[in-house]
Every structure is written in structure tokens, then in C-alpha cells.
Amino acid sequence: MTLVLRYHEARSRALFRELDANPSLLLLGGAVALPFNPDDGLLERYADRILWPPISEFATAAAAIGAAMAGLRTLVPISTSSFMFYGWAPIVNEAPNVRYLSGGTVSAPVAFHVMAGSRRGGAAQHEHTPQAMLHNVPGLRVLAPATPADVDAAVHGALTGDDPTVIVDNVRLAEFEGPLGSSPADIRLPTLLRDGSDVLIVSYSLMVQQALLAAGLLANQGIAAAVLDVAQLAPLPHAELLAATERHDTVLFVDESRAAGSPASHMLARVVQARPRVTARLLCTLDAPAPFAPALVDAIVPGPAQIAAEVRALLGR
Amino acid sequence: MTLVLRYHEARSRALFRELDANPSLLLLGGAVALPFNPDDGLLERYADRILWPPISEFATAAAAIGAAMAGLRTLVPISTSSFMFYGWAPIVNEAPNVRYLSGGTVSAPVAFHVMAGSRRGGAAQHEHTPQAMLHNVPGLRVLAPATPADVDAAVHGALTGDDPTVIVDNVRLAEFEGPLGSSPADIRLPTLLRDGSDVLIVSYSLMVQQALLAAGLLANQGIAAAVLDVAQLAPLPHAELLAATERHDTVLFVDESRAAGSPASHMLARVVQARPRVTARLLCTLDAPAPFAPALVDAIVPGPAQIAAEVRALLGR
Amino acid sequence: MTGPDRLRRLAAMLRARRFDETLIANAALVTGVFHVSIGHEGVAAALAGARRASDLIMLNHRNHGALAAIGTDLEVCYREILGRDGGPQRGRAGSLHLADAARGVPYTSAMVAGGVALAVGMALAKQRLGREGIVFACFGDGAMGEGAMYESLNLAALWALPLVFVCESNASADRDGSRANVLQAARTLTGLADVHQIPATSVDGGDPEAMARTMDDAVAAVRGGGGPRFIEARLQPWPGNAAFLPRLVTGELDLSDAERPGAAGAWSAADPVLAEARALLRDGVALADLLVLDRSVRASVERAFASAAGAPSAPDSVAMSGVWAP
Amino acid sequence: MTGPDRLRRLAAMLRARRFDETLIANAALVTGVFHVSIGHEGVAAALAGARRASDLIMLNHRNHGALAAIGTDLEVCYREILGRDGGPQRGRAGSLHLADAARGVPYTSAMVAGGVALAVGMALAKQRLGREGIVFACFGDGAMGEGAMYESLNLAALWALPLVFVCESNASADRDGSRANVLQAARTLTGLADVHQIPATSVDGGDPEAMARTMDDAVAAVRGGGGPRFIEARLQPWPGNAAFLPRLVTGELDLSDAERPGAAGAWSAADPVLAEARALLRDGVALADLLVLDRSVRASVERAFASAAGAPSAPDSVAMSGVWAP
Ligand SMILES: Cc1ncc(C[n+]2csc(CCOP(=O)(O)OP(=O)(O)O)c2C)c(N)n1
Ligand SMILES: Cc1ncc(C[n+]2csc(CCOP(=O)(O)OP(=O)(O)O)c2C)c(N)n1
Ligand SMILES: [Mg+2]
Ligand SMILES: [Mg+2]
């Protein structure tokens, strides 16, 4: 019997499991589910495992990295992803250098959790997609789960792996349901969530769920769309990505990031380099800061209808 | 008679010209040419136009942005590009929002200058390519000059335009020579620096100079390589890029950034989307932090020999 | 202060309060989070009283009260908060980024301490360009945790900038009183400005008269070229902010409570609007006059809301306009 | 302090000085910029004297002296600075990032104040894991400009972390003396720690004995569970640092100058190594014994350099190894 959970339930379950498995694991702040997702009781249940820092993102991020070097693993719930820009220097220019500069003798296994993407109503300063910057940093591991199984694997990978890791989460994933295996999956492996021979849609995080909805719309129109979920954005699993895309000659890459620098543009480049005859297209959020009004957000962020329309355009149907 | 200058001479000339043209233009710090390029006398000549801040990159960057909103234009010489990570939040999450949030009634015309890329000996914390992050930010203008004419246009554009602008410079460009027009060129337009029918190499900043050297090597081997210089990375001039690449069916995109998130991967995606039958390839710095030893840097950063080899591989010759 | 001036101050505070109350009553129409200024009206009124047309003001995520107090068009604010077309922002900004360039609020950052550092630059512009006016930076106690605040204090002091730091401190006090609050190791928040040789004053922000006096003194010093000043306005945390979205747990303000000392609970005792009303009553103004004023404020606030709620959304194209210079 | 201890201290300081002098003499072999610790040897020796094997130390871009003083293999350091193979870093790090995990220096950040914030976390780890040892964070006066420093002081104080902040202050004093230095509005650097209720002491870092006493006192307090301490070591700026690359403008150290008071210039009067030598002479140690020690230090430093300069570079594959966990 497979366990089926909502995304937010799977996230809490994974987090509690890791907290129980590693009694010294410390949280620097507690805003993982809260304030935007249902309260999972983390704050009461693990009150003694949470240290609440002042609003000091730089020192908090750096402290987490320093603690990791000294043997204390922490998870830093940064909440809205843009707050991490205040702690950008340690995250992109300290943590990822530790292993390299020490020749592998020292590591900084620390995990950051951020809520990225358009949650609606966050506006220009609260709806970023920092993965489009983070995946450029060698030494950082960037995980962007889309499903309950993904988030289970991402939390496990981030809290037991040996790399500084950022979990790029999305508030709007909370209610999506999905099956979980008996143990956490390998987050590095792309997952084919739906098969279909006409087109392959490659994506990650919330856009995978939007792609699945689009695939449903397309099926009604006689178009069979496959959906591939690539949850580890950095280091990008090249070989696995190529293997998973090789049966399709038409591939749409969908990303909530703006196109310039997007993980999708990098995946597209990798795929067309290896297979020059593929017809590839990119569908991203348009080049504007996040507007406040939901209707305006819908005008720039891809949803199922836009994805389906793009597929039809790509197939000429 | 065309004026031919070295890159660093053209940069100083442009900067002095803009300082003379706008008497209220203020520099927050003075490390444009210094410490890595020849002293151009800026510090003595314009001593009263330079305000030296403490080592406070956040407040300095933010102050420059706030000053811009209040009518005072500044240039912030950040020196090594990674120092800007300390001021990342205002640069990527204040400046680019000003125009948008005000509906175009307020703007933040401020310029940042950074030295990016591997200067040799800088090691993991001093040899970044922040353009791979910055070009993802709608509202920021990102300029990465390669030639004396480019830097002339970039300095002019940054110090007279109405967008917050980052000039992504490179210490190793200093001695390259080139012609200057009678007035600054339009930095938005890609420039074909060398023509050739077999292959087109698209790049920016230092890698353009490396591509020109590679084209020379290739010419000796009977391969005619064209070199296109795209100096404005954001907003990327799509139409102009497509027009400038349309005569070539084989295109190599070269970038000193790591591939994931690189401007080159974005350009590649744009080109192959528009022209699916193009054979495109990406040549980037390999996925590691910058090592210290020059020999190790040469093992990961593309140079003329690697570019030429990649072209040959692409053409199967 | 003269009677009409004080009535004007109460009017500014009422505008702020009634604006937020009406919004909370209609919270279901708002997308996402918003922050209200209930309890901060004394600071808002002091700011409105001290500012001149040439000044610039940097607010933060909690900006409604100050805007209402300085006279920003409330219908434009409501339209923006509801994501409707109307003002120059046209639904792109929302509550977090309300602004009013015509009244010296060109841009509002919602990042903690983000606006403070921007304000340093605005003050630098005033100074270098020899322009009239000074700059106000309003921020919360939480901003004192950010390194950006420290850097800003240092720059402002080093460069002797015409800048008033206004800390709206609504944090609960530290248990044993040895620290400014539970997230600050410093004994006082003013100490953190003082160490940079910025004259700093702590004042009861729930007492609008004291607040205004402190503000006026600081502003006079800054206008006189004395460099930056720092004000800590100590505010009672309004209990309605405890939840994710503000809730009117204290009920709507009833100005007649000003005549019923002790009638209401702890909040009424701390409410700056009631404090101001009480002071006016003490000065001999009649409650009836205050109620007339309140009714007119309420009516105009409600008209503004009704009109905003009926306004259309901006067309989709607005989402893509104003990103880069044309 | 006993005689042998003091000789050991001089030996540590000489190791540091001779290491840097030899490097400057061979600067042409180094790629890029490097930073020397000339004038900082008193701090380095105090650190070496106070540290225990279980402690952790966070250095900065100016790290040579401390490493030399705590006994790091100098040939490995030279190899790294020259970009050669040898130690675990194998040419990937260079001067900026020299480290010695075996002696409690797992990682060295070259970002101003970057290491300080990391050290906060190391101290948090010591505290939460109940591990033995404390943490030292060494940084320059320039780091006091960074917001990261302020946040670090606040966190360390709030959480009562076992952390010694060591500020190596080599800045020129402000003209009129009303500020700590030209880039700091605060009157003193210690004031910036003190305001966070971190006990802070300023000491003449050019006086190795006073420096060691101050360090030992602070370390004892921190080991005793008293929370963080802050030390400002006031250092004479060494004139050789004025250029882009350090130049030996003051000449090589001549220990016999310790017997010729006033013979040399202003720098000699401030030189902490000479100060230490003078103190030893005052205590009755013979100059000849100091010169013997010096010769042996020099010989070993020169051997280390010669051997490093002959070492090979690492193979190209090293550039790509150690990026992510295997
Ligand atoms: C840099 C940054 N970090 C975190 C947040 C999230 N945030 C929004 S309001 C707030 C609390 C701010 O407290 P304070 O400054 O005291 O203002 P108050 O809401 O109490 O008026 C926080 C942490 C943010 N907006 N910006
Ligand atoms: C964040 C950051 N900004 C700027 C620099 C460039 N930089 C290197 S050393 C230095 C001066 C540091 O002064 P101080 O901290 O006093 O150390 P000192 O060199 O005097 O020992 C600067 C600005 C840097 N390394 N990191
Ligand atoms: Mg507060
Ligand atoms: Mg210094």
C-alpha cells in the first residue's frame, strides 16, 4: 500500500523524521511551513531545537555555515527567498568554497530553505526565483522539489548530505498530492511523472504541477504530453537528463524564473548540444518584477493554459 | 583619422569625459582602474568628486540608489565583483524595482562598476562572473564591454542612461587596443568584430578578445570564424542578436561564466528557438570555484586554444 | 501648540486609524499580507507635522498610517492595496510598496532596513546638491538587527547627513530588562545610535504631544545642519497584529472612550489616538466636536474605500511596463 | 611569564616576521596580491600562547603571521602561496585562504568580516555540542565598517557564545581624535562591542607582553563561560603595506637594533618584535642568545622557501576536484 500525502504533509513528515534522526540538528528560525502553509506544529513540537535569530540574515546564514564546519548541522528557514539576498555573500561565496579550498578535508553541510516564486500578493520584493542565480555557483547544491516524494527526498538529501544545500520551495505546492516510497528517493534523478509520445515538458518545482495540469488539457485535445521533473538543479544531472529526454524530438522547458539565467535555459542548452535535431523551446516568466495584483501576475507567470498553448504552437496544432 | 586607444585608456577617457560633462556626478569610492590596472590619475584629478565610504558595501550600494532617486547620480566602483554580494539586496531588489513600482514616475539612474572574471591569483573569493546572476534581474541593465569602443559606450550609457546599470569589467582587458568613433556608440547593438563564413563565435567581455585570438589561430588552419560581441547582456537585444547571427548555421557561444545560468546559455536558447536548424554549442568555464594557481585556472577557463579546438570539433575538422 | 493645530493632529491620526480599520473589515478583498499602523498614529502625526514639502520620507512595510497622516489620497491607496487601476502604480505595488512621490515618498521598500540605507543616499543627495529639505527614515525595532542599519548609522554620522532616523519600536520588552528587547543584546536601542555619536532620544510614542515635541526638536537640529538624529518611539504593541493578518481584536476605536477613563482595557490606555483625544478634552475641546471630526473622517475614508472597491483592474500590459527605461 | 616561555614567544614572532620578509624578497614568484603580518606579530604570538588544541581560529586575508606563530608547516604555506602542489589545498587556495585544519584553522575567508560571522557559528557549535574549546575571530579595523560585524557582535552577545573577537587595528587615527578612525563615526572601536554588552579592551598591540596579558584575560573569561570578549589591538601601520604589494621599506629586521635605542626610525620604535627583544634584554637575556634563535628561525624559513620554490604544480585535474561531495 503506498502512502499518499499532500506536499506540505510530506515536507513536515520528512523534517520531523530528520529532526528525530539527528538529535543535534538545529533550526535557526522556524518559518518552514508558516506563515504561508498550514501549521504543522513544528514550533511547539521542536521548540528546543529552534534558535530564533534577530533579523540578521547575513550573520545567521554565516553562523549556520560556520557551525557546519565545526560539526553542528543546521537548517536555516529563510522564509521568503529574497531575504537571502541579505545573506548572499556567505551563501554563495563562503559555503561553496569550504570543501574546495580545504582539498576535501573540511565540509560545510548546511541547509537553507526558502519559499520562492510567485505566491500572489507578495509583489516585487517577495516573489523571486533565486535558483536562477544559485545554480551558477559551483559547490552549492540546489534542490527544487515538485511533489511530495521530491520534498521528502530533498529534505533528506539536504539534511544528511555533505554539501551546502538550498531547498527552493514554493508556497503554492502545499496542497498537491502524491505517493511516497518506503524510503526517501534519490533527489538527483529526474522523474518522469507522466508519459506521452508527442512532446516532453521538462520542468521543476511548481511548474511541474502546472505542466501536469497542462498535459491533462492537452490530452483532451488528443496531444500526448510527457512531463519530466528535474528536482536537482545544481549540480545538474547531465547524463540522467539526456537519457530521460532522448525519446522525444520536441521538448518544452518550463520555468518560473525569467529566461535569462534560468535553469531551463541551461537544460535546453545541454539538450540541444547533445542532440542538435531536437526542437526545443523555452517558456518562462516574462521580464518584469513580480507585480502585486494577481491578474497582473497571471499575465507574466506561466500557468497550465499558457503551457498547453505553447505546446500546441510548438507542434503546429 | 580614427583614434586608437588601449582599453584602459578608453575607459579613463570616457570616465573623465562624463565627470566633466556632469559636475554633480559623484564617485562612491575610487577603485575603477586601480589597483589592478595602470593608474590613470583619477584619484588626484577628481579628488573632490570622490567620497570614500567605509567598507560597507550594503549601505554604499543602497546610498547610491537612494541618491539616484533624489537626483544625485553616482558611480560606485565596487572593485572586485564579489564584494557586491555584500550589497546584493539593494542592487538586485531595490534599484530594479524603483521604476516599476512607481509606474515610471521615479527612476534610479545609478552605475556600479565591478571587476569580474579570473584575473589570476584572486582565487575562489575574487574571480566571479556576477553577470550570470545579474542578467536574471528585470530592471537592471548589465553591460560587459570587450573593446575600447565598448567601454567608451558602456561608461557613457551607464552614466547618462536612466536605468540602474552594472558595468561588468575585466582586469585583463586593459591592454587590448581598438578604434573609437567620434562619439560613444550605442552599447545595445551587438558588434561584428570579425567576419568569416564557417562559424560564428558569440561572446562578450574578455572572451571576445580570446575569440578573436582563436579566430586568428583558426584562419591559419583554413577556418573562417566570425566573432560577434554582445556587450549589453540585460536587457538582451533579442532582435539584434537574431539578426546578427542569421547568416551562420554553426554558432559557438563562449562565456567565462560557469554554464548554468550563463548569459551564453540564454543567448543559445534564444537563437536555437528562433532557428531550430542551427548547430549551437556552449563553451564556458568548468564547474569549479576559481583555483589560485594560474595553471589550474587555465585548466577551467576557456582561452584561445580551447575556443579554436571547440570550433574544430563543432565543424568536424 | 494651538487648538486648530491639535485638531489637525487628531484629524491626521483619525485618518490613519479609520483607514486601517476599514481595510481590516474588508481584509477578504486583499491578496496576501498587509500591515496596519494601529498604535503608530502618534509617530505618523508627528512626521506629518514636522515635514515640509521639500523633504523626503522613506517608509517601510508598515506605511499606511504615515501616508494617511501626510495627506496621501486614500482612494488611491485603497485601489493599490486592492490591486486595482488608478494611481501611477496601477496595481503593481500593493500595500507593501505604497508611495506618494508628490508628498516626498518616491519609493517604499518592504525589506527590513532596506529603506533606511536608501534614505542615507537621499540625504547625501540633499547635501551634495545643496537642495532644500531633509530626509526621514522610518523603520521598526526589527530593523535594528540588520547590519544594514549599522552601516547606515555610520555613514550618516560620518557624512553628517540631514537625516532623521525614526525607530517605531513595538517590540515586547526583554524579560529582565537588561536588553532593549529579546533580539537585541544592547541595553537600549538609542545606545546603538549614540555609539556612532548620533544624538538619540527615546520617547513614549503613545503620547502624541511628547512624540511631536521630540520629532520637532530632532528635525530642527537636522535642518540646522547638525547632522543626523535618532528617535526611538516606544510603542505599545497592538494586540491585533499578533495573527498572520491583522484582526480588530480591540474593536473599532470609540472616541467617547476618551471621556471614560479606565472603561476600556489595557489597549485603550495605550492607544495614541485616545491619548490625543483625552489631551484635547483636557484642553477644553468638547467631545462633540471631536465626534463631528471623526464622523467626517470616517465618511471620507468609507467613500474612498467604496469607490476603490468598485474600480477596475489594470490591463495585462501594465505588468510589463516600466521595467526598463523606454 | 617564565624565560623559556618568553623565548618561545619571540621565536613565534620571528617565525612570522622572517616568513614574510622572505616572501617579500621573492614577491616576483607570487601571482596576484598577498598580505603580510609585519607589525601584527604581537597579536599572532598572543593567539599562539592562548590557544589550546581544541580551539578554532578564524583568520582573514592577513593570515601568515598567525599561522606561522601557531606552528603551521611553513613549507606547506609557501607551496600554497606559490601555487604549488603539496599540502591538502594543492594550489587551489593561495595566500588569501591559507588554513591548517590540524591546528584549528579549517577555513580562511578573505572577505572583510566574512570570517567573523562564520566564527559565530563555530562558537555556536562548540556551545550546542558541548565540545571543548573556544573560538577566536581575527579581523582588521576595516571589518568594523561591515554590517556583518555588527550582526555578529549581537548574535555572539545574545547567545553568550565562547568567542574572542580580536580586532587588529592598524588604521591611521582620525585627525582630530574624535573618531576611532577616518571611516568610523564611533569614538572608539571598543565602544561598538561594548554597546552590545560585550566586555571590550583596547591594548597596545605593539607591546607583546601587554597584548598577551589582555588576550589571556579575555580567553580565561570566555573559557569560564562568561560569553564573548572583544579585544582591540592597536597597531602601528607598517609603512611597507602602503603600496599595492608589500615592500620591505623598513629593511629586514635586525635584532641588534634592540640594543640601540633610537638608532632606527619610528618604525623600529613600534616594531613588536623589537619590543619583545628589548624586553628580553631587560630581563637579562643576552643578545647573542636572541641572535642564535633568530639565525635558526631564518635558516628553517629559508629552507622551507627553497624547497617550496622547487616543488611542482598540481596536475590540472586538481582544479576540478573537491567541488561537490563525491
Ligand atoms: C530583509 C528582510 N527580512 C525579513 C523580512 C520579513 N519581515 C517583514 S516585517 C518583519 C518584522 C519587522 O519588524 P519591525 O522592523 O520591528 O517592524 P514592525 O512590523 O514591528 O513594524 C519581518 C521579519 C523582510 N521584509 N525583509
Ligand atoms: C567584503 C569585502 N570588501 C572588500 C574587500 C577588499 N579588501 C581586502 S583587504 C581590505 C582592507 C581591509 O582592512 P582591514 O580589515 O583593516 O584589514 P588590514 O588589511 O588592515 O589588516 C579590503 C577593503 C574584501 N576582501 N572583502
Ligand atoms: Mg517591530
Ligand atoms: Mg586595517
Side-chain angles (χ1 to χ4, degrees):
Chain A
M1 223 197 66
T2 28
L3 178 64
V4 172
L5 290 178
R6 291 202 173 82
Y7 180 95
H8 75 88
E9 293 166 340
R11 183 177 57 211
S12 299
R13 177 173 163 274
L15 182 53
F16 294 4
R17 179 188 63 219
E18 303 304 332
L19 278 162
D20 293 340
N22 176 359
S24 74
L25 175 62
L26 182 71
L27 269 62
L28 286 174
V32 182
L34 293 177
F36 295 102
N37 280 174
D39 187 356
D40 56 7
L42 172 76
L43 305 195
E44 305 94 80
R45 187 160 162 179
Y46 295 96
D48 60 329
R49 304 288 289 282
I50 304 177
L51 192 56
W52 291 94
I55 314 180
S56 306
E57 289 86 358
F58 190 115
T60 302
I65 297 162
M69 281 191 245
L72 176 68
R73 191 189 283 270
T74 65
L75 168 68
V76 187
I78 291 182
S79 189
T80 299
S81 70
S82 57
F83 306 161
M84 105 192 288
F85 296 148
Y86 276 58
W88 200 245
I91 295 171
V92 306
N93 202 20
E94 304 286 358
N97 301 329
V98 172
R99 170 181 294 279
Y100 190 71
L101 287 174
S102 68
T105 60
V106 185
S107 63
V110 54
F112 300 94
H113 176 272
V114 297
M115 287 297 192
S118 174
R119 66 186 190 217
R120 300 300 185 272
Q125 290 193 310
H126 287 83
E127 303 202 335
H128 295 75
T129 49
Q131 64 270 26
M133 298 174 173
L134 295 167
H135 73 137
N136 182 249
V137 182
L140 272 192
R141 196 170 177 205
V142 182
L143 307 177
T147 65
D150 280 353
V151 74
D152 183 51
V155 168
H156 179 70
L159 295 178
T160 59
D162 211 20
D163 288 314
T165 302
V166 182
I167 300 177
V168 178
D169 206 342
N170 189 308
V171 163
R172 304 181 79 209
L173 284 167
E175 303 300 333
F176 287 99
E177 287 190 348
L180 280 108
S182 56
S183 63
D186 182 350
I187 191 71
R188 283 173 305 181
L189 302 180
T191 316
L192 190 71
L193 291 178
R194 177 179 177 128
D195 209 348
S197 56
D198 293 326
V199 64
L200 175 65
I201 307 176
V202 178
S203 194
Y204 64 88
S205 187
L206 179 66
M207 289 296 129
V208 166
Q209 298 292 353
Q210 307 289 50
L212 288 169
L213 294 171
L217 299 175
L218 290 164
N220 296 337
Q221 299 159 338
I223 297 174
V227 176
L228 184 71
D229 168 14
V230 183
Q232 178 166 304
L233 301 178
L236 187 69
H238 295 140
E240 293 80 358
L241 174 64
L242 293 181
T245 54
E246 72 183 3
R247 292 181 306 112
H248 289 88
D249 293 325
T250 307
V251 187
L252 175 67
F253 296 84
V254 182
D255 198 328
E256 192 175 341
S257 311
R258 280 77 188 159
S262 59
S265 66
H266 179 224
M267 293 188 223
L268 183 153
R270 292 293 180 190
V271 168
V272 300
Q273 275 199 108
R275 297 178 54 222
R277 295 296 152 246
V278 162
T279 299
R281 195 167 292 186
L282 202 57
L283 180 62
C284 293
T285 294
L286 299 181
D287 280 345
F292 166 72
L296 297 180
V297 176
D298 289 337
I300 66 165
V301 179
Q306 286 94 329
I307 297 171
E310 198 70 22
V311 165
R312 284 193 302 272
L314 194 50
L315 297 174
R317 306 207 223 165
Chain B
M1 224 196 67
T2 29
L3 177 64
V4 173
L5 290 178
R6 291 202 172 82
Y7 181 94
H8 75 87
E9 294 166 340
R11 183 178 57 211
S12 298
R13 178 172 162 275
L15 183 52
F16 293 5
R17 179 188 62 219
E18 303 304 333
L19 278 161
D20 293 340
N22 176 358
S24 73
L25 174 62
L26 181 73
L27 269 62
L28 285 174
V32 182
L34 293 177
F36 295 103
N37 280 176
D39 187 358
D40 57 5
L42 172 76
L43 305 195
E44 304 95 81
R45 187 160 162 179
Y46 294 97
D48 61 327
R49 304 288 290 281
I50 304 176
L51 192 57
W52 290 94
I55 314 179
S56 305
E57 288 87 358
F58 190 115
T60 302
I65 298 161
M69 280 191 245
L72 176 68
R73 190 188 283 268
T74 65
L75 168 68
V76 187
I78 290 181
S79 189
T80 299
S81 70
S82 57
F83 306 161
M84 104 192 289
F85 295 148
Y86 276 58
W88 200 246
I91 295 171
V92 306
N93 202 20
E94 303 287 357
N97 301 329
V98 172
R99 170 180 296 278
Y100 190 71
L101 286 174
S102 68
T105 60
V106 185
S107 63
V110 55
F112 300 95
H113 176 272
V114 296
M115 287 297 191
S118 173
R119 64 185 190 218
R120 301 299 185 272
Q125 290 193 311
H126 287 83
E127 303 204 333
H128 296 75
T129 50
Q131 64 270 26
M133 298 174 172
L134 294 167
H135 72 136
N136 183 249
V137 182
L140 271 192
R141 195 171 176 206
V142 182
L143 306 177
T147 64
D150 281 352
V151 74
D152 183 51
V155 168
H156 180 70
L159 295 178
T160 60
D162 211 20
D163 288 314
T165 302
V166 183
I167 300 177
V168 178
D169 206 341
N170 188 307
V171 163
R172 303 181 79 211
L173 284 166
E175 302 301 333
F176 286 100
E177 287 190 347
L180 281 109
S182 55
S183 62
D186 183 350
I187 191 72
R188 284 173 304 181
L189 302 179
T191 317
L192 190 71
L193 292 177
R194 176 178 177 131
D195 209 350
S197 56
D198 292 326
V199 64
L200 175 64
I201 307 175
V202 177
S203 194
Y204 63 89
S205 186
L206 179 66
M207 288 294 129
V208 166
Q209 298 292 355
Q210 307 289 49
L212 288 169
L213 294 172
L217 299 175
L218 290 164
N220 296 336
Q221 299 160 337
I223 297 174
V227 176
L228 184 71
D229 168 16
V230 183
Q232 178 166 304
L233 301 178
L236 187 69
H238 295 139
E240 292 80 358
L241 174 65
L242 293 181
T245 54
E246 74 183 2
R247 291 182 305 114
H248 288 89
D249 293 325
T250 307
V251 187
L252 176 66
F253 296 85
V254 182
D255 198 328
E256 192 174 342
S257 311
R258 280 76 188 158
S262 59
S265 66
H266 179 225
M267 292 188 223
L268 183 154
R270 292 294 180 189
V271 169
V272 300
Q273 275 199 109
R275 297 177 54 222
R277 294 297 153 245
V278 162
T279 299
R281 195 167 292 185
L282 203 56
L283 179 62
C284 293
T285 294
L286 300 181
D287 279 345
F292 167 72
L296 297 180
V297 176
D298 289 337
I300 66 166
V301 179
Q306 286 94 331
I307 296 171
E310 198 71 23
V311 165
R312 283 193 303 271
L314 195 49
L315 297 174
R317 303 209 223 164
Chain C
M1 207 177 216
T2 62
D5 277 351
R6 296 206 58 174
L7 267 183
R8 214 175 298 134
R9 184 156 78 206
L10 180 68
M13 296 175 74
L14 283 170
R15 247 169 86 84
R17 175 65 54 88
R18 296 308 183 196
F19 180 88
D20 275 338
E21 287 178 350
T22 300
L23 186 62
I24 294 174
N26 292 280
L29 295 178
V30 184
T31 305
V33 194
F34 64 92
H35 306 270
V36 297
S37 304
I38 298 181
H40 295 235
E41 294 89 350
V43 182
L47 180 70
R51 77 172 269 274
R52 292 190 191 155
S54 55
D55 296 339
L56 292 171
I57 304 171
M58 185 53 74
L59 302 173
N60 66 355
H61 60 286
R62 199 175 295 287
N63 54 56
H64 299 176
L67 290 167
I70 66 173
T72 298
D73 183 323
L74 297 187
E75 184 185 334
V76 171
C77 291
Y78 277 138
R79 283 186 183 229
E80 195 54 41
I81 294 171
L82 299 177
R84 309 302 167 84
D85 206 349
Q89 301 184 310
R90 306 189 68 180
R92 280 169 291 204
S95 161
L96 289 170
H97 303 294
L98 291 181
D100 184 356
R103 281 177 184 74
V105 188
Y107 173 80
T108 300
S109 171
M111 292 293 102
V112 170
V116 180
L118 297 171
V120 167
M122 293 177 158
L124 178 65
K126 289 284 190 197
Q127 183 187 65
R128 297 285 300 198
L129 299 172
R131 296 246 175 99
E132 243 188 83
I134 65 171
V135 180
F136 296 86
C138 298
F139 52 92
D141 51 281
M144 299 301 295
E146 296 283 11
M149 172 64 60
Y150 167 83
E151 296 185 6
S152 298
L153 290 165
N154 190 34
L155 289 196
L158 274 176
W159 296 340
L161 298 179
L163 179 55
V164 189
F165 292 94
V166 182
C167 179
E168 305 183 47
S169 181
N170 60 3
S172 313
D174 189 32
R175 247 152 309 177
D176 71 2
S178 69
R179 290 171 174 165
N181 60 56
V182 287
L183 296 176
Q184 261 299 345
R187 199 174 289 277
T188 63
L189 296 184
T190 49
L192 294 166
D194 199 62
V195 73
H196 292 283
Q197 308 200 50
I198 297 176
T201 312
S202 180
V203 61
D204 176 2
D207 175 346
E209 175 63 21
M211 181 68 225
R213 243 184 295 116
T214 302
M215 180 73 84
D216 290 345
D217 289 351
V219 165
V222 174
R223 289 200 203 284
R229 289 293 184 275
F230 184 99
I231 298 171
E232 177 197 27
R234 298 186 313 275
L235 303 171
Q236 199 65 27
W238 178 58
N241 283 334
F244 177 62
L245 276 177
R247 286 186 305 136
L248 220 45
V249 293
T250 52
E252 275 189 8
L253 167 71
D254 179 353
L255 268 193
S256 357
D257 280 350
E259 268 194 352
R260 291 193 286 266
W267 170 247
S268 285
D271 184 338
V273 189
L274 278 183
E276 183 64 10
R278 270 186 225 106
L280 283 165
L281 296 182
R282 267 199 310 277
D283 287 0
V285 183
L287 180 61
D289 290 347
L290 303 188
L291 293 175
V292 167
L293 173 67
D294 187 29
R295 264 193 298 279
S296 104
V297 169
R298 283 185 86 137
S300 73
V301 164
E302 275 156 19
R303 262 195 318 275
F305 187 86
S307 172
S313 296
D316 282 4
S317 62
V318 164
M320 291 297 294
S321 72
V323 180
W324 282 281
Chain D
M1 208 179 215
T2 61
D5 276 351
R6 295 206 58 177
L7 267 184
R8 213 175 299 136
R9 185 156 78 207
L10 181 68
M13 297 174 73
L14 283 170
R15 246 169 88 83
R17 175 65 54 87
R18 297 308 182 194
F19 180 88
D20 276 338
E21 286 179 349
T22 300
L23 186 62
I24 294 175
N26 293 279
L29 295 178
V30 185
T31 304
V33 194
F34 64 92
H35 305 270
V36 296
S37 303
I38 298 181
H40 294 235
E41 294 89 349
V43 182
L47 180 70
R51 76 171 269 272
R52 291 189 192 156
S54 55
D55 296 339
L56 292 170
I57 304 171
M58 186 53 74
L59 302 173
N60 68 354
H61 60 286
R62 199 176 294 288
N63 54 56
H64 299 176
L67 290 168
I70 66 173
T72 298
D73 183 324
L74 298 187
E75 183 185 333
V76 170
C77 291
Y78 277 138
R79 283 187 184 228
E80 196 53 40
I81 294 172
L82 298 177
R84 308 302 166 85
D85 205 350
Q89 300 183 310
R90 305 189 69 183
R92 278 169 292 204
S95 161
L96 289 170
H97 303 295
L98 290 180
D100 184 356
R103 282 179 184 74
V105 188
Y107 173 80
T108 299
S109 171
M111 292 291 103
V112 170
V116 180
L118 297 171
V120 167
M122 292 177 159
L124 178 65
K126 289 284 189 198
Q127 183 187 65
R128 297 285 302 197
L129 299 172
R131 296 248 174 98
E132 242 187 83
I134 65 172
V135 180
F136 296 86
C138 298
F139 52 91
D141 50 281
M144 300 301 296
E146 296 283 12
M149 171 65 59
Y150 167 83
E151 295 184 7
S152 297
L153 289 165
N154 190 34
L155 289 195
L158 274 176
W159 296 340
L161 298 179
L163 179 55
V164 190
F165 291 93
V166 182
C167 179
E168 306 182 47
S169 180
N170 60 3
S172 314
D174 189 31
R175 247 152 309 177
D176 71 2
S178 69
R179 289 171 174 166
N181 60 56
V182 288
L183 296 176
Q184 261 299 345
R187 199 174 289 278
T188 62
L189 296 184
T190 49
L192 294 166
D194 200 62
V195 73
H196 292 283
Q197 307 199 51
I198 297 176
T201 311
S202 179
V203 60
D204 176 3
D207 175 346
E209 176 62 23
M211 182 67 227
R213 243 185 293 115
T214 302
M215 180 73 83
D216 290 344
D217 289 352
V219 166
V222 174
R223 288 202 203 284
R229 289 292 183 276
F230 184 99
I231 298 172
E232 176 198 26
R234 298 187 314 275
L235 302 172
Q236 198 66 26
W238 177 59
N241 281 336
F244 177 62
L245 276 177
R247 287 186 304 135
L248 218 45
V249 294
T250 52
E252 275 189 7
L253 168 69
D254 179 354
L255 268 193
S256 357
D257 280 350
E259 267 194 353
R260 289 193 287 267
W267 170 247
S268 284
D271 185 338
V273 189
L274 278 183
E276 182 64 9
R278 270 187 224 105
L280 283 165
L281 296 182
R282 268 199 309 276
D283 286 1
V285 184
L287 179 62
D289 289 347
L290 304 189
L291 293 176
V292 167
L293 173 66
D294 187 28
R295 263 193 298 278
S296 103
V297 168
R298 282 185 87 137
S300 74
V301 164
E302 276 157 20
R303 262 196 317 276
F305 187 85
S307 170
S313 297
D316 282 4
S317 63
V318 164
M320 291 296 294
S321 72
V323 180
W324 281 282

